[in-house]
Amino acid sequence: MLIYGPLTPGQVSFFLGLVPVFAAWLYSEYLENAKSSSLPKHGRNSDINLVELAGTVKEDDRAVLLEGGGLHSASPTLRNSSVTSQLTRLLMLDESFLLENRLILRAMSEFGALLIYFYICDRTNLLGEAKKSYNRDLFLFLYFLLIIVSAKTSFKIHNDKSPLSGKSIMYLNRHQTEEWKGWMQVLFLMYHYFAATEFYNAIRVFIAGYVWMTGFGNFSYYYIRKDFSLARFIQMMWRLNFLVFFCCVVLNNNYMLYYICPMHTLFTLMVYGALGIFNKYNERGIVIAAKIVVCFLVVVLLWEVPGVFEIFWSPFTFLLGYTDPASKVKLSLLHEWHFRSGLDRYIWIIGMIYAYYHPTVERWLEKLEEAEIKRRILIKSIVGIVSLTIGYVWVEFVYKLPKITYNKYHPYTSWIPITVYICLRNVTQHFRCYSLTLFAWLGKVTLETYISQIHIWLRSSVPNGQPKLLLSLIPNYPLLNFMLTASIYIAVSYRLFEHTNTLKSAFVPTKDNKRLGHNLVAAVIIASILYILAVVLIKVPQMIV
């Protein structure tokens, strides 16, 4: 087996940490099977019953995040005992501890195994590779086929009640935004797989749509829930960066290779900061207006004033610096960060504004639905015609511009197609209340599918390399290979999504800052010890030779 590049201390420390966890999980499964076989048939417990036997989970201990995901609770022992005692019991293979935390050990082990699969696919020659090939007819055929299948199998009408009016207005509801993320993500991924460069401008709009939802979703949460707790903050950072952190370690990549993650992290932090500062005054409209103006001014200062961006971000070059190893042009280490973050520097603020006025628009729509039918049809027709007209003008005079020219206009115009889509998607009650749940399901795992595609669907073979090749499991059969690799890739992405949420619930308590602090300190200490051991294991043999 050929491995591309020497092993790093980070990779070795990851393996050193995974081995005892994996061994503990296997032993816990053995204990569970032995326990089950010793009980009468009617007394055997499923995984759900095991959790119930361990203790009843309190609702207050469950984090309710806008990103969604399964809610798993840590066992009472993990919640109540100290970090030191937990580690001691784990290393001593305490049977009761292993049984109580079997599902968490399983999640950790499978998460680690999937990252090893990433490494095998992208850093060894065990599996093949193929060149990308673009055919517009095939590209559009596959996408529209997916839409037809989704419409036939997953069309669903929702009747959720508005928390404001108690009526089923459904304006920009959760089902709709998840579906929106889903169909954009499919095109985004196919764009990369088939190298469909003619859709570059559309992909820029889709990424702007994701950033718009970052502003919209986070503003809605913090403005309504008023939850600026440390636990909530850590949960958000975990959701955005847990998987990508381990990918950087295992694949030896820079953070900026996965530019979506630092970009969403930045704008999430900016929304958190904007609403968190003087948050007791957020009920006043003038305060929100002032905060939004300040957000615009900060963006103008950082991105529009020459030299400020480099001065501000240069201390973070170690984290945000990036150089494409295949690039023949020598650029600043912060060039990629400047380019990526700058393209969508304003749209997150537009998302905040739309979130603030969401209740107002919902009340307008409520009155419109109660209006006389002729007036209702007239107003909806005007909204539809105006939206289509504006969309047409944008396509003709902005979207059709060449790539480099379009990028100059994108930060100032990306709100136009997003607004047009929102208007057309919500123009009638029928449009608002349905969704294609297949796309909504895909919309929940956009972060995992974005990260995973680089290593187990596509392939770069080198650290920090752009994925310019395809993973090939069935050589010379491109469509069969597409079907197989895509199936594995989607399944793996969903499992990573579940494990990220499972481990977040286990290690990030929602209402116990003391235990959260202990967990963070323990994580740093354990990571440091493993890293030192890894350095020793790598350096000592070299010194002997």
Side-chain angles (χ1 to χ4, degrees), residues 11 118-119 122-123 247-253 258 455 463:
Q11 292 167 336
F118 276 34
Y119 187 88
D122 198 33
R123 292 290 191 273
C247 283
C248 289
V249 171
V250 174
L251 280 304
N252 191 27
N253 286 327
Y258 314 91
H455 306 298

Side-chain angles (χ1 to χ4, degrees), residues 30-44 99:
Y30 167 78
L31 293 174
E32 174 61 20
N33 288 333
K35 176 183 174 182
S36 299
S37 62
S38 66
L39 294 173
K41 241 180 185 181
H42 62 273
R44 296 181 184 177
L99 285 171

Side-chain angles (χ1 to χ4, degrees), residues 64-344:
V64 183
L65 297 181
L66 287 171
E67 293 82 2
L71 296 175
H72 306 268
S73 179
S75 71
T77 301
L78 195 60
R79 287 202 303 268
N80 299 326
S81 58
S82 67
V83 175
T84 305
S85 66
Q86 292 167 23
L87 289 174
T88 302
R89 295 180 69 189
L90 174 64
L91 294 175
M92 296 297 293
L93 295 179
D94 182 281
E95 294 187 0
S96 62
F97 178 83
L98 296 180
L99 285 171
E100 289 165 1
N101 297 284
R102 179 174 59 89
L103 299 181
I104 295 173
L105 292 170
R106 177 192 292 176
M108 295 171 69
S109 300
E110 187 176 338
F111 183 85
L114 292 176
L115 286 174
I116 291 174
Y117 177 66
F118 276 34
Y119 187 88
I120 291 172
C121 289
D122 198 33
R123 292 290 191 273
T124 73
N125 66 345
L126 281 178
L127 304 174
E129 60 188 33
K131 293 183 178 180
K132 296 181 180 181
S133 177
Y134 176 62
N135 179 289
R136 183 191 295 170
D137 182 45
L138 176 63
F139 181 91
L140 295 176
F141 167 77
L142 290 173
Y143 185 67
F144 286 116
L145 178 63
L146 181 61
I147 292 178
I148 293 170
V149 171
S150 181
K152 285 286 188 181
T153 61
S154 67
F155 180 89
K156 186 174 181 180
I157 297 176
H158 307 276
N159 293 300
D160 299 5
K161 303 294 182 183
S162 167
L164 298 172
S165 64
K167 298 181 179 180
S168 297
I169 299 301
M170 302 292 290
Y171 169 63
L172 274 177
N173 61 82
R174 177 66 179 274
H175 309 290
Q176 186 185 126
T177 54
E178 294 287 15
E179 178 203 72
W180 184 5
K181 286 194 294 183
W183 67 256
M184 288 195 302
Q185 184 74 350
V186 171
L187 275 174
F188 178 71
L189 297 171
M190 290 177 64
Y191 163 82
H192 283 152
Y193 190 90
F194 293 103
T197 54
E198 67 172 306
F199 292 99
Y200 173 87
N201 293 354
I203 300 305
R204 294 270 66 84
V205 175
F206 295 166
I207 295 174
Y210 295 130
V211 177
W212 179 92
M213 281 186 249
T214 293
F216 179 85
N218 283 290
F219 184 97
S220 298
Y221 181 90
Y222 292 121
Y223 187 71
I224 295 171
R225 299 287 183 89
K226 302 176 178 60
D227 178 9
F228 299 95
S229 63
L230 176 64
R232 167 63 185 179
F233 177 79
I234 298 297
Q235 287 167 347
M236 288 297 297
M237 293 301 101
W238 182 293
R239 178 73 187 96
L240 290 170
N241 293 290
F242 179 73
L243 174 58
V244 73
F245 169 79
F246 281 100
C247 283
C248 289
V249 171
V250 174
L251 280 304
N252 191 27
N253 286 327
N254 289 342
Y255 187 37
M256 265 307 297
L257 178 67
Y258 314 91
Y259 68 90
I260 292 291
C261 297
M263 198 165 70
H264 282 282
T265 298
L266 169 65
F267 297 134
T268 297
L269 289 173
M270 295 180 83
V271 176
Y272 180 86
L275 289 184
I277 298 173
F278 302 119
N279 61 81
K280 62 182 179 180
Y281 301 108
N282 284 345
E283 295 299 325
R284 301 181 184 179
I286 188 68
V287 172
I288 293 297
K291 289 185 174 187
I292 288 174
V293 169
V294 170
C295 288
F296 274 113
L297 292 177
V298 168
V299 170
V300 169
L301 177 64
L302 281 176
W303 278 274
E304 306 288 1
V305 180
V308 175
F309 184 92
E310 287 74 16
I311 294 172
F312 182 83
W313 290 109
S314 57
F316 304 96
T317 301
F318 73 96
L319 181 65
L320 300 170
Y322 174 78
T323 299
D324 184 353
S327 176
K328 298 179 181 178
V329 181
K330 189 173 180 62
L331 299 170
S332 164
L333 289 175
L334 290 174
H335 171 80
E336 186 77 2
W337 176 233
H338 188 207
F339 172 69
R340 298 294 184 183
S341 61
L343 282 172
D344 299 306

Side-chain angles (χ1 to χ4, degrees), residues 58-63 79 227 229-232 235 508-516:
K58 295 180 181 178
E59 284 300 318
D60 288 344
D61 289 340
R62 297 177 180 232
R79 287 202 303 268
D227 178 9
S229 63
L230 176 64
R232 167 63 185 179
Q235 287 167 347
V508 185
T510 57
K511 293 189 177 182
D512 189 347
N513 286 345
K514 183 178 179 181
R515 189 167 71 86
L516 176 58

